[in-house]
Amino acid sequence: CKPEAVEETKKDEAPEQSGGIEEFPDLAYEENLPTEMESMCMNCNENGTTKFLLVTIPFFKQIIVSAFSCPHCHYSNNEVAPAGDIQPKGIRYKFHCSSVEDTNRSIVKSHTATVRVEELDFEIPPQTQKGCLSTIEGILSTAVEGLKAQQPLRKIQTPEVYEKIKEIIKKLKLAAKGEMPVTITLDDPTGNSHLQNPNAPGKDPKVVEMHYVRSRAQDEALGLISTEAKPTAAVPANAGQSILSEAAAAALSQALNEDDDARQSVLTMPCDCNSCHAPGQLHMHALDIPYFKEVIIMAFTCDQCGFRSNEVKAGGATSAKGVRHTLQCSTVEDLNRDVLKSETAAIMVPELNLEVVHGSLGGRFSTVEGLLQQIRTELKNNPWVMGDSALGNTNTQKFYELYEAILAAEVPFTFIVDDPLGNSFVQNLYAPDPDPNMTVEEYERTFEMNESLGLNDMVTENYYTEADTGDSQPSEESEKAAEAS
């Protein structure tokens, strides 16, 4: 077989990636080979070899794994760098590590991430460790080696500091072996770090994952804004996630308020593509769901690069309470029920031990079957669930067998949609009468829920400052409110 034929066969077998990016094959692709490049060794100034591996981690990002080795001085180095864009939000993982299995978890840590060991008040600041694809044990062991490097000098110059660091090193070694339970926090403002979930597709009971809006100082440190730029109004929590710009939203609201016929038609307005920035058309339609509220369905397709996006936004004010829909599915009619899932809703199927956390999948208007099929597609592309990274999980096959039986309506199951903002909806086939197969319950949001949704900092009354009113004296209303509280 000729070499040209072999290369052509490999190209034909390579998996197709969304957006036409073939340079980043899937992580589970067996024929994925590194690219070699001759480069100078920074240790002996001779020529060595650098190998680059460009991969896509499903449920995560595109990354570049590089490894350098020098045949002259045997110096070696490796690094992981994100190849994609900086994410709209930062990410924070809080992990309770208490066993050897926990320390063996894979972790993708970018150079902008901060790692903290809460019990020891020990922090690995950003830029101090290069980006890497490692484990919890590897991250802690690297920190131990860094602390030990200056210990001989500290023992002479500052003996008291030497003793304190010696104690920290001892505890870090125990934590790296899983012999000392600790809480590890991984905080990355770029959103390009990741912690493996060995219980996928189920929820990880030892990890709390939270997405947050970056502060101005973090944006300046990442070079997203100039340090000389004047501060502007606070960025909303969903900035960068919507395909609908503020101008488009204002135009849509005006059109819906002034023209009743606009509610019955599809509105179109110009909008730039989020992928290639070419001009395109954004289509929007206002839909009034009976016994619920009005929603806006938006869809965008780029004729230049083929990028497609759709989004569902609920209208109206923020609900005072969260809403949880619990549906007992046993027939095909139940699978065909319409479901509006907002971007803040979580989906749970207890029979599968499956939970899709808040913020996953975005806003969608589909059916019960359609959402389950979308979740199944995402799971099968997850390397932590399938392939070598599944760590020999024998329950994976049983999980998918039960999943297929549920999609075929052969096994009854419970479908739960939990939305802390109350913007999700599951069709009631018996409306306006109560549905015997579904329960709808309202609940009070916790402080943590309001914090993640940005509601704790939202002020809708008495929000004028002294500079705005020109009066430094408290008003009579504010005094009465203070006395009542």
Side-chain angles (χ1 to χ4, degrees), residues 52-96:
F52 296 95
L53 183 63
L54 289 72
V55 297
T56 295
I57 300 180
F59 271 175
F60 186 49
K61 312 287 184 304
Q62 295 170 345
I63 64 172
I64 302 176
V65 182
S66 61
F68 173 81
S69 61
C70 178
H72 304 282
C73 66
H74 304 290
Y75 172 76
S76 61
N77 186 21
N78 58 81
E79 187 173 354
V80 173
D85 298 332
I86 294 177
Q87 303 308 304
K89 289 186 176 182
I91 191 168
R92 182 182 297 116
Y93 294 96
K94 181 169 285 188
F95 174 45
H96 299 282

Side-chain angles (χ1 to χ4, degrees), residues 291 428-436:
Y291 309 105
N428 180 1
L429 299 179
Y430 299 85
D433 299 328
D435 193 327

Side-chain angles (χ1 to χ4, degrees), residues 95 97 102-107 134-141 175-176 184 195:
F95 174 45
C97 181
D102 293 337
T103 60
N104 288 334
R105 291 199 187 197
S106 299
I107 178 174
S134 184
T135 61
I136 297 295
E137 180 184 6
I139 295 293
L140 296 180
S141 299
I184 297 177
L195 181 63

Side-chain angles (χ1 to χ4, degrees), residues 4-16 22 29 31:
E4 292 81 359
V6 174
E7 294 181 0
E8 184 176 356
T9 303
K10 290 182 179 180
K11 290 181 180 180
D12 294 339
E13 295 177 353
E16 295 181 358
E22 298 181 357
Y29 179 46
E31 298 296 333

Side-chain angles (χ1 to χ4, degrees), residues 241-260:
Q241 294 185 345
S242 176
I243 59 176
L244 185 64
S245 63
E246 294 183 1
L252 174 63
S253 177
Q254 182 179 1
L256 294 179
N257 293 331
E258 295 179 355
D259 189 1
D260 293 337

Side-chain angles (χ1 to χ4, degrees), residues 11 50 52 58 63 70 77 79 90 93 290 345 356 361-362 399 405 416 449 463 480:
K11 290 181 180 180
T50 301
F52 296 95
I63 64 172
C70 178
N77 186 21
E79 187 173 354
Y93 294 96
V356 180
L361 296 179
F399 171 84
I416 303 175
M449 290 180 178
Y463 51 84
K480 291 181 179 179

